[in-house]
Amino acid sequence: DFPLIMFSGDFDWTLQNSGLTKLTFDFTKIKLFNLFEIQLKSGEAASIGAASGLGSESNVALEKQGKRAFFNWISADDNIATARGGGGGLALWKRVDYEGGN
């Protein structure tokens, strides 16, 4: 088993006054099929996401304002995490352990 896609880049966790946890991020590298690496310039991931349908046009607008894409964290445990994206979509992550991962 190997990951089909991996994202790398800067991120920040911040606790909002409302009690929500906000994850802001900017991807600087995408790795496909554990073979091909694509380096991204700052903010370029927002444009790729919007063009592919994997991200929101609102992330492109945020980037133009000097802000980063974000998720409002909903829940997480040892196996799954959920968050609401800045464009309104629901994000789900499942932990998958594999050998050779970084």
Side-chain angles (χ1 to χ4, degrees):
D1 291 343
F2 60 90
L4 295 179
I5 188 167
M6 291 175 42
F7 300 93
S8 302
D10 296 328
F11 66 92
D12 290 304
W13 290 97
T14 56
L15 183 60
Q16 305 295 298
N17 290 335
S18 64
L20 291 175
T21 301
K22 188 173 192 176
L23 168 65
T24 59
F25 60 92
D26 187 17
F27 299 130
T28 55
K29 180 172 65 174
I30 299 173
K31 191 171 186 179
L32 301 171
F33 306 107
N34 211 26
L35 296 172
F36 307 102
E37 286 189 10
I38 302 166
Q39 298 295 323
L40 302 172
K41 297 176 186 169
S42 181
E44 193 173 12
S47 297
I48 292 171
S52 68
L54 296 174
S56 170
E57 286 288 339
S58 65
N59 290 336
V60 176
L62 286 172
E63 174 59 32
K64 289 179 181 176
Q65 297 171 21
K67 298 178 182 177
R68 299 194 297 179
F70 68 91
F71 288 105
N72 286 317
W73 212 247
I74 298 171
S75 66
D77 62 25
D78 290 342
N79 295 310
I80 194 165
T82 61
R84 177 73 61 192
L90 180 64
L92 303 169
W93 294 275
K94 182 182 183 313
R95 178 185 301 270
V96 177
D97 294 323
Y98 70 98
E99 293 184 25
N102 282 343

